[in-house]
Amino acid sequence: MALTAVFVCVLAVRLLPWMGAATMVVVFLLVFLLVSAFVPPMMTLLVQAEHETYLARASRIGSTIIPLLGQTPVLLLLALSIDGVVWLGRRGQWARTRLNTWVLVASMVSMFLVAGFTLVQQIGLREQAVQGGGGGRGGSLVLGFVLSLLLTVPGSLLGNWLALTMSETVQALRR
């Protein structure tokens, strides 16, 4: 998730001259996810109300929509931090390398916070399962958190590098 989120937000900031470009990307993601979550079930209800059989399985929401919908508000932190750094860089007339470095730092810190939020969310779900009679192992949760933090760093670095490389290529093609 770090690779994809950092890649898309940094690419948007580098290619679009508007303030708030990364935030707009996350807001559009939220709108897309909401439409994806609600349109198929509503179409199924309409088809069933008309006693048709078209889209019989569309009432089931895909397994990727709900987890992404839960992460979208947290990804706003990433987008807002990148937009804030870009705003400070433009206001202070920073050099391109300094701006890129601070964008990378802001994205890595934000993705660490996203991983931490995910851990807190998983702990809450695990406690509900244990209280409800299900068994749980705390060790696998800690291992998952450590692995997610270890993957956040290279994912953020790779996403930032890919975005910088692609944006320089697109800017060179524009000229």
Side-chain angles (χ1 to χ4, degrees):
M1 187 166 91
L3 179 125
T4 305
V6 171
F7 170 73
V8 170
C9 288
V10 171
L11 190 64
V13 164
R14 292 280 307 234
L15 292 179
L16 300 174
W18 312 317
M19 288 304 301
T23 305
M24 283 190 286
V25 167
V26 174
V27 169
F28 285 136
L29 172 68
L30 179 63
V31 169
F32 170 74
L33 291 174
L34 287 173
V35 167
S36 298
F38 289 111
V39 168
M42 293 301 138
M43 296 238 343
T44 300
L45 288 175
L46 177 65
V47 168
Q48 289 173 352
E50 295 176 352
H51 303 291
E52 299 288 332
T53 58
Y54 182 65
L55 293 175
R57 296 184 304 155
S59 62
R60 296 185 186 127
I61 297 174
S63 62
T64 59
I65 292 174
I66 297 301
L68 278 176
L69 201 56
Q71 294 295 334
T72 304
V74 183
L75 289 177
L76 276 174
L77 174 68
L78 170 69
L80 290 172
S81 65
I82 290 175
D83 284 337
V85 168
V86 168
W87 178 76
L88 287 173
R90 288 180 183 167
R91 187 173 178 206
Q93 297 177 349
W94 293 352
R96 177 65 75 182
T97 56
R98 182 177 179 195
L99 181 64
N100 291 342
T101 302
W102 280 106
V103 165
L104 178 62
V105 168
S107 63
M108 288 179 67
V109 168
S110 299
M111 291 311 297
F112 267 22
L113 293 175
V114 168
F117 174 76
T118 304
L119 173 71
V120 169
Q121 189 178 22
Q122 288 177 354
I123 288 174
L125 291 174
R126 181 70 57 129
E127 286 177 1
Q128 288 176 356
V130 169
Q131 288 175 357
R137 291 175 285 176
S140 63
L141 192 61
V142 172
L143 178 64
F145 181 66
V146 169
L147 287 176
S148 68
L149 286 181
L150 288 175
L151 291 175
T152 298
V153 173
S156 297
L157 289 171
L158 185 59
N160 190 46
W161 176 78
L162 283 172
L164 291 176
T165 304
M166 288 188 73
S167 66
E168 288 172 2
T169 303
V170 170
Q171 289 172 351
L173 290 173
R174 283 183 184 171
R175 294 182 209 138

